[in-house]
Amino acid sequence: MCDIIYFMNDRKILVSDNLEKLALKLKSRADIFIVGGYVRNSLMGFCETDVDLASEISPDELKQLLKYSDFKVVDKCKRLGTVLIKIGDEEYEHTTFRKEYYDDSGKHQPDFAEFVGDIREDAKRRDFTCNCVYYNLTRRRYIDIYSGVYDISKRVIKCVETPAYVFENDGLRILRMIRLAGELNFKINRETYYTAKSMVYRLKDISGQRKLNELKLILYCDQKYSVSKPKAHIKTLNMFNDLRLFPLFYVPCDKVKLTMIKKVRMEDRFIAILIDIVNAVNPDCVEYYLKDLLGVKGLCMGAKASDEYIKVVCGYFDALNRRNNKEYFFKYFDSFSVIREYLKYTNKKLYEKYNFFYRYLLNQKIPVRIKDLNIDGNDIKKALPKIEDKNISNILKQLLDSVFENEIANEKSVLIKEVKRIGNYRNN
């Protein structure tokens, strides 16, 4: 068991008046500690993160102690002893000191927790030494059980216990390790890194949604803090390749060539990595593959967001395959302002070709979508009262094609006349 190391530090943590008030209010029961990113970042000279608190006080006790105060206590995860403490526009997450018990899956969440009064047991359940320095808010001193302050000064990510123990309990820590290295511009301790490499299988039981959340944070890790370095996301994605993590993200190949992701603007990175993944996988059908990758079988992205990403990526590859202009813009007109940004990086001539046609359609106000027609389904029903609903969509598509080819004008009276002609033709 590690000894508790108390020490004073010239760099005092900046805390709000409300936090000092909270510590004073709970002082008679127990000391309150700030732990995690806020302490780590403060020791590095900045405080750009949320405040996480810990103490031996249980959630129910905390509610009683703060019952008649300005602080509001709301359960977040009662099973794990986590609550939110709110006052005004400030919010802190408080967790009771605990010992965690996991099953054999590495699925991130402990099976159950035992509340303890020993800060050393609480420290043992944490991930990396840089996240395991406690700051006693009541007594204004630091507690460093795993030499985290030294590792922060050396900018090193290192597991609190043996790496095998840390990653065995929670596979998501492998992704967090990579993300922190990018966000903080830290190196990864050799033993920690190579143990993670041998244990990436622990990610198989992590939900797709959690993996997606971490991937997005990793893609933008160079924007997280003032100490983050430009292009840190490329460094982290290179680790993905080295650790063979992509197969754990439902990508059936060990490595992904990082081509598009290196070229694009910050806001375009997620689509860029999807393009790089599709190039690596080379699926028979891009749309079907992405539906599996982003859907419930994969990263569990919401349907609306998933559809938007899929349309852009498919539009990019259909342009590279030189799809016919009319067919292309009937399908991708609404997405082309995004698609063209990726074409610009890959094939300037194709970009200019499709962009010229796109601007022509815009400037000439040529209908390319059903909603651009000066007629709708209700108008067709009035013109053809006996028409079945399933046929309305086909008639609208036929009208759009005729208007686009300049065979008829996009005027309501002309369109109604054409609808009746189609109806008479079908009846005959």
Side-chain angles (χ1 to χ4, degrees):
M1 182 70 71
C2 297
D3 292 328
I4 296 180
I5 302 173
Y6 297 91
F7 69 96
M8 305 301 293
N9 190 288
D10 292 337
R11 189 184 298 282
K12 296 299 181 184
I13 287 185
L14 295 174
V15 297
S16 68
D17 292 341
N18 285 327
L19 265 175
E20 290 188 342
K21 181 180 172 183
L22 177 66
L24 189 61
K25 196 156 192 67
L26 299 174
K27 184 178 179 180
S28 61
R29 169 60 183 86
D31 290 353
I32 300 296
F33 300 85
I34 305 176
V35 66
Y38 194 86
V39 180
R40 177 198 68 218
N41 294 356
S42 294
L43 288 167
M44 293 174 66
F46 64 98
C47 301
E48 302 165 21
T49 192
D50 298 330
V51 176
D52 291 330
L53 303 175
S55 77
E56 63 183 80
I57 305 173
S58 72
D60 290 337
E61 277 186 287
L62 202 58
K63 289 174 186 174
Q64 284 300 315
L65 290 166
L66 298 176
K67 188 173 184 179
Y68 300 106
S69 71
D70 295 331
F71 294 95
K72 183 180 179 183
V73 181
V74 180
D75 286 326
K76 184 175 180 182
C77 182
K78 199 164 186 178
R79 181 173 66 90
L80 299 179
T82 305
V83 298
L84 296 177
I85 301 175
K86 302 180 179 183
I87 183 169
D89 59 355
E90 293 181 38
E91 182 177 283
Y92 330 112
E93 186 173 289
H94 176 278
T95 304
T96 306
F97 291 160
R98 69 178 188 241
K99 185 175 182 179
E100 295 177 341
Y101 297 88
Y102 292 83
D103 62 19
D104 294 331
S105 69
K107 63 186 177 185
H108 177 62
Q109 287 285 352
D111 263 9
F112 65 95
E114 175 189 352
F115 297 153
V116 296
D118 188 347
I119 196 171
R120 290 167 298 188
E121 283 293 342
D122 191 67
K124 188 177 180 180
R125 72 177 178 83
R126 298 186 181 273
D127 50 13
F128 308 111
T129 60
C130 64
N131 292 334
C132 196
V133 181
Y134 294 73
Y135 182 74
N136 190 318
L137 189 55
T138 311
R139 303 176 189 274
R140 292 303 184 101
R141 61 182 179 180
Y142 295 84
I143 298 179
D144 186 8
I145 297 169
Y146 289 102
S147 301
V149 174
Y150 176 80
D151 289 335
I152 291 168
S153 71
K154 294 297 181 183
R155 295 181 176 271
V156 172
I157 293 174
K158 183 180 179 183
C159 289
V160 291
E161 293 282 329
T162 64
Y165 173 83
V166 170
F167 296 132
E168 183 73 19
N169 286 340
D170 183 354
L172 197 68
R173 289 168 172 167
I174 295 172
L175 299 182
R176 196 179 300 126
M177 172 192 77
I178 294 171
R179 172 166 58 82
L180 284 173
E183 291 176 349
L184 299 168
N185 191 30
F186 274 26
K187 297 172 290 185
I188 300 174
N189 166 268
R190 184 181 177 85
E191 183 187 3
T192 296
Y193 186 83
Y194 283 103
T195 303
K197 191 171 187 175
S198 70
M199 297 182 70
V200 293
Y201 65 88
R202 300 306 284 172
L203 278 163
K204 67 182 174 59
D205 294 313
I206 303 297
S207 71
Q209 190 172 37
R210 285 189 181 277
K211 290 177 187 175
L212 175 62
N213 291 342
E214 282 295 326
L215 176 60
K216 286 184 173 181
L217 291 171
I218 285 167
L219 286 175
Y220 300 97
C221 64
D222 62 331
Q223 304 295 313
K224 179 68 173 178
Y225 299 122
S226 57
V227 298
S228 304
K229 295 296 183 182
K231 299 191 180 298
H233 63 296
I234 301 301
K235 167 186 169 181
T236 57
L237 290 171
N238 280 326
M239 289 187 207
F240 259 64
N241 278 330
D242 185 60
L243 295 173
R244 304 294 195 269
L245 287 175
F246 278 108
L248 279 303
F249 278 74
Y250 319 104
V251 178
C253 52
D254 284 343
K255 291 188 176 183
V256 170
K257 190 174 181 181
L258 305 175
T259 303
M260 184 65 78
I261 191 70
K262 291 181 178 179
K263 300 175 181 178
V264 299
R265 304 169 302 175
M266 180 192 71
E267 57 268 29
D268 297 330
R269 288 177 186 172
F270 188 74
I271 289 174
I273 196 64
L274 289 181
I275 289 172
D276 284 339
I277 286 171
V278 169
N279 276 324
V281 175
N282 192 24
D284 292 334
C285 177
V286 173
E287 184 175 2
Y288 287 163
Y289 170 69
L290 289 178
K291 281 184 177 179
D292 281 345
L293 175 66
L294 300 178
V296 293
K297 296 179 181 178
L299 297 174
C300 301
M301 180 180 283
K304 185 177 179 181
S306 173
D307 288 345
E308 290 175 1
Y309 287 130
I310 290 171
K311 181 152 279 190
V312 171
V313 176
C314 287
Y316 167 81
F317 282 103
D318 274 356
L320 292 184
N321 291 326
R322 294 169 168 78
R323 188 165 180 173
N324 171 274
N325 280 343
K326 182 176 78 172
E327 292 178 1
Y328 186 86
F329 282 104
F330 273 15
K331 186 170 184 179
Y332 298 116
F333 184 82
D334 285 334
S335 302
F336 187 73
S337 62
V338 179
I339 295 168
R340 65 182 175 185
E341 295 301 318
Y342 302 92
L343 282 178
K344 193 188 301 182
Y345 292 114
T346 305
N347 190 316
K348 266 288 179 59
K349 286 186 177 180
L350 275 178
Y351 161 77
E352 288 169 358
K353 172 199 167 188
Y354 282 102
N355 195 49
F356 174 83
F357 201 72
Y358 174 69
R359 292 176 66 83
Y360 177 79
L361 293 173
L362 279 176
N363 293 335
Q364 299 299 317
K365 296 182 171 57
I366 297 174
V368 290
R369 302 161 297 189
I370 297 295
K371 65 181 181 181
D372 294 333
L373 293 172
N374 288 320
I375 192 173
D376 60 23
N378 290 328
D379 296 320
I380 294 175
K381 281 186 177 181
K382 288 178 183 178
L384 301 174
K386 294 183 179 180
I387 191 170
E388 296 181 19
D389 288 345
K390 64 182 181 180
N391 293 325
I392 292 175
S393 176
N394 290 332
I395 291 178
L396 286 169
K397 289 177 183 176
Q398 191 173 337
L399 291 174
L400 180 63
D401 191 73
S402 297
V403 171
F404 184 86
E405 296 290 352
N406 205 26
E407 295 170 354
I408 60 174
N410 188 24
E411 297 173 8
K412 190 165 186 175
S413 59
V414 175
L415 294 170
I416 293 293
K417 185 177 179 180
E418 179 67 9
V419 168
K420 290 179 178 178
R421 186 192 71 78
I422 293 170
N424 289 333
Y425 175 78
R426 289 187 174 185
N427 289 334
N428 292 333

